[in-house]
Amino acid sequence: MNAITRRTLLASAAATTLAGATGRRAEAQSANPPLRIAMSLSDIPRMWGGPDAGFEGLRFGGYFVYDALINWDMSKADAPSRLIPGLASAWSVDPGDRRRWLFTLRDGVTFHDGTAFDADAVIWNLDSVFNQQAPQFHAPRVGLIRSRLSSLGSYEKIDARTVAITTNTIDGMFAYQMSFLLMASPSRWRELGGDWQRFAMQPAGTGPYRVVAITARERCELAAFDGYWDKARVPKVARTILIPMADGAARVAALRSGQIDIVESVPPDTIASLKAAGMQVLMNSYPHIWAWRLNVQPGSPFHDLRVRQATNLAIDRKGMVELLAGSALPAAGKVTPGDPWFGKPKFTIGYDPDRARALLQEAGFGPSRPVNVKVIIASGGGGQMLPLPMNEFMQENLKAVGINVEFQVVDFGTIIGMMRAGSKDPAQMGAHAINIAIPSIEPTTGWIIYDSALVNPRGVNWGYYNSPAVDAQLQVVRQQFEPARQDAEMARLHEILVDEAAALFVVHDLNPRALASRIGGFVQSRNWFQDYTPVTIRSS
């Protein structure tokens, strides 16, 4: 590239950026300004009812536009989120067959294209994921959905307002899985020629927002869906714009300059200055652990329990929290102590480098034979906080006890695909860990990733974790239908995972968000997902 060409391209990019900023400021000054949200993604998640880009993609590309039969209550900041009726007004388990779940569908629901939601629409959506012979089956989309529905076996329409789903094993936690099956409009899909790529650009769900327009890598324009079935959740702001901004500094600068109203994933080192500038900064604990998922296959150093425990004892988590300006909590496991699922693990996770060195020596490692590992990490993305500085901090901690770490840095969309493909994928051979934050909101997403049977393509057990004790306890968990018993057995599962050092548990993110001073009504729920429908914009 010659100098003239380079100057021309830079000038063009600068003009585009300036035009975008000018446009966003003009929108803010209009009589009915839109709500503008900066996501920490590099692109708009595909809006086809099974969005990519992890849970942030699901937050914006899923629950904004779609509903599931079972939804999340995201209205409280002082208690964990619970499941609530969504497009199913009720559900129950057949007392004669505990694998059979009956869903009563809500009356009077329409898709954004005006067509009715009914049992036929539910079966069509189920077929789109589970029936390879169905014309709406599309493997790239299915891969983003099916791993979250690992217990679903078969299904049938009972009548226009009732659907039965039978699980492939008794699973008292199955209701959680159904929160991830989002209902797309069959009519819109047919109208667009049965093309899921076209559907992703012009989607129709039943959610509180309908898509007006999508400009790749730039913006997604949404409008409040006045026909939404839950009148209490029709958005208070008529228009909302989602803007991808992968760079944290760029998101903060856009908030300061008035181009953005809400920033996701605030860089911790900007929190104090944002507060000083009059911005609102909200933080709350939520079911999330920033961790390394470990490859435990034979030949990997992490196949040895002693190495896994040593790695967990080598990390200065208090120092990590200081690095994050207090926007995280030190981890003692997948969940925080005091959580109903924490239990009483025997192995205490903490900072003990001397004990870490001793364990490595027991495993046959030492100064003349260090542990060498390769770790796949992301450059950014939802829930990843400051992945590069955090991983470099850990690299120093681990080197101090005799573990040398090499990083492979990829973007967030790529790392999600790598996680789903699993560590046996040829492109990942030689990787000993992958750094993707793990949710613990429900058993399916953050817990059965340790089920030895749920490896690619059935699940996201990336490291091929294979523990008889974990597998047996997962079966016990699935037998529970009563909440108190579910909590007790989940606590026992957590004890086993901590004692086996199933992952490198580091910190729990407090999920900081920053809001302009004129924004009101937002409640930061203790959930990966958030409800933006109550948000209001005060006049300047």
Side-chain angles (χ1 to χ4, degrees):
M1 182 184 297
N2 62 42
I4 295 175
T5 302
R6 185 174 184 274
R7 283 197 298 271
T8 301
L9 289 174
L10 289 173
S12 176
T16 300
T17 300
L18 179 61
T22 302
R24 289 193 286 271
R25 281 194 289 269
E27 288 169 341
Q29 296 166 0
S30 65
N32 297 298
L35 175 67
R36 299 155 306 163
I37 304 172
M39 306 178 292
S40 65
L41 302 173
S42 59
D43 199 357
I44 303 299
R46 284 177 288 188
M47 302 258 182
W48 56 13
D52 50 5
F55 267 22
E56 186 172 7
L58 187 56
R59 179 158 63 243
F60 292 109
Y63 291 116
F64 266 55
V65 179
Y66 296 96
D67 290 301
L69 295 184
I70 299 175
N71 284 348
W72 288 98
D73 179 2
M74 296 176 279
S75 64
K76 301 178 181 67
D78 58 355
S81 293
R82 300 296 184 189
L83 297 176
I84 55 174
L87 294 178
S89 57
W91 63 90
S92 61
V93 177
D94 186 338
D97 180 357
R98 293 199 301 163
R99 296 184 305 120
R100 191 166 186 261
W101 295 63
L102 297 171
F103 294 87
T104 302
L105 306 184
R106 193 177 295 277
D107 283 319
V109 176
T110 59
F111 289 102
H112 300 150
D113 58 10
T115 59
F117 167 78
D118 55 18
D120 290 331
V122 174
I123 298 301
W124 186 91
N125 276 275
L126 285 162
D127 278 345
S128 79
V129 178
F130 292 97
N131 182 1
Q132 295 187 37
Q133 305 308 312
Q136 65 269 32
F137 185 91
H138 180 52
R141 175 177 173 272
V142 169
L144 299 166
I145 304 172
R146 192 162 182 168
S147 63
R148 305 196 192 283
L149 299 164
S150 57
S151 294
L152 196 149
S154 61
Y155 45 88
E156 62 178 316
K157 172 184 174 181
I158 304 301
D159 56 43
R161 303 246 62 84
T162 312
V163 169
I165 296 178
T166 301
T167 56
N168 49 36
T169 185
I170 293 174
D171 187 355
M173 302 291 205
F174 177 65
Y176 289 102
Q177 296 184 25
M178 290 306 296
S179 69
F180 294 109
L181 182 63
L182 306 178
M183 295 293 155
S185 167
S187 296
R188 173 60 56 85
W189 181 82
R190 296 187 190 102
E191 174 190 335
L192 296 173
D195 187 331
W196 278 112
Q197 297 291 352
R198 292 182 65 194
F199 183 95
M201 300 298 290
Q202 303 176 61
T206 65
Y209 300 86
R210 59 180 179 83
V211 173
V212 175
I214 295 174
T215 304
R217 295 188 177 276
E218 184 177 327
R219 61 199 279 145
C220 173
E221 300 178 42
L222 304 167
F225 180 37
D226 293 334
Y228 188 52
W229 58 268
D230 186 350
K231 299 307 178 186
R233 291 190 62 239
V234 173
K236 300 292 190 296
V237 177
R239 293 187 301 139
T240 295
I241 300 173
L242 305 178
I243 301 171
M245 286 189 182
D247 183 74
R251 292 194 298 276
V252 169
L255 179 67
R256 290 181 182 278
S257 65
Q259 302 171 42
I260 293 296
D261 301 302
I262 298 178
V263 168
E264 292 266 314
S265 301
V266 176
D269 58 356
T270 67
I271 291 174
S273 63
L274 285 171
K275 289 181 177 178
M279 304 297 178
Q280 307 171 67
V281 179
L282 303 181
M283 291 190 281
N284 201 354
S285 62
Y286 71 126
H288 165 279
I289 176 72
W290 194 89
W292 286 3
R293 307 180 191 212
L294 305 177
N295 179 351
V296 299
Q297 297 176 72
S300 168
F302 296 125
H303 182 70
D304 192 313
L305 170 62
R306 295 165 296 188
V307 176
R308 299 198 302 272
Q309 290 182 334
T311 306
N312 271 284
L313 294 173
I315 305 303
D316 177 8
R317 291 170 180 80
K318 290 184 179 179
M320 180 73 81
V321 170
E322 291 176 7
L323 172 69
L324 297 170
S327 63
L329 299 173
K334 279 181 59 64
V335 295
T336 56
D339 187 285
W341 292 355
F342 189 82
K344 297 179 181 179
K346 296 181 179 67
F347 175 58
T348 301
I349 293 174
Y351 185 41
D352 190 345
D354 290 337
R355 177 59 180 152
R357 293 186 191 96
L359 284 166
L360 292 176
Q361 187 173 12
E362 289 178 23
F365 296 98
S368 62
R369 188 187 174 221
V371 178
N372 296 306
V373 296
K374 178 181 176 181
V375 184
I376 302 169
I377 67 174
S379 55
Q384 295 301 99
M385 294 183 274
L386 298 176
L388 300 183
M390 291 171 73
N391 276 296
E392 288 169 354
F393 181 95
M394 293 172 62
Q395 187 180 42
E396 292 182 9
N397 282 176
L398 292 166
K399 186 175 181 61
V401 302
I403 302 174
N404 297 326
V405 179
E406 171 194 352
F407 292 126
Q408 178 184 349
V409 184
V410 299
D411 65 55
F412 191 65
T414 298
I415 204 170
I416 291 294
M418 296 173 88
M419 177 192 70
R420 292 196 172 99
S423 57
K424 288 186 179 180
D425 177 52
Q428 301 178 59
M429 296 302 286
H432 302 103
I434 190 168
N435 172 218
I436 303 180
I438 307 172
S440 54
I441 186 171
E442 42 77 28
T444 300
T445 304
W447 300 80
I448 66 170
I449 60 173
Y450 303 101
D451 187 328
S452 64
L454 296 181
V455 297
N456 179 277
R458 287 195 60 205
V460 288
N461 182 346
W462 177 84
Y464 289 76
Y465 201 81
N466 189 345
S467 163
V470 169
D471 286 347
Q473 186 59 23
L474 281 167
Q475 291 304 318
V476 173
V477 167
R478 291 174 176 129
Q479 296 289 324
Q480 309 307 316
F481 288 79
E482 195 274 318
R485 290 303 308 163
Q486 289 178 339
D487 286 349
E489 298 302 343
M490 284 297 294
R492 175 58 188 143
L493 175 61
H494 184 254
E495 292 170 359
I496 298 169
L497 291 170
V498 173
D499 290 343
E500 293 186 358
L504 174 48
F505 306 110
V506 186
V507 291
H508 301 283
D509 185 7
L510 292 178
N511 204 14
R513 285 180 173 81
L515 292 70
S517 59
R518 67 179 187 155
I519 299 300
F522 179 69
V523 176
Q524 183 148 321
S525 66
R526 290 171 59 181
N527 198 317
W528 274 78
F529 313 119
Q530 301 292 326
D531 185 5
Y532 284 90
T533 63
V535 171
T536 59
I537 302 177
R538 293 187 288 271
S539 58
S540 302

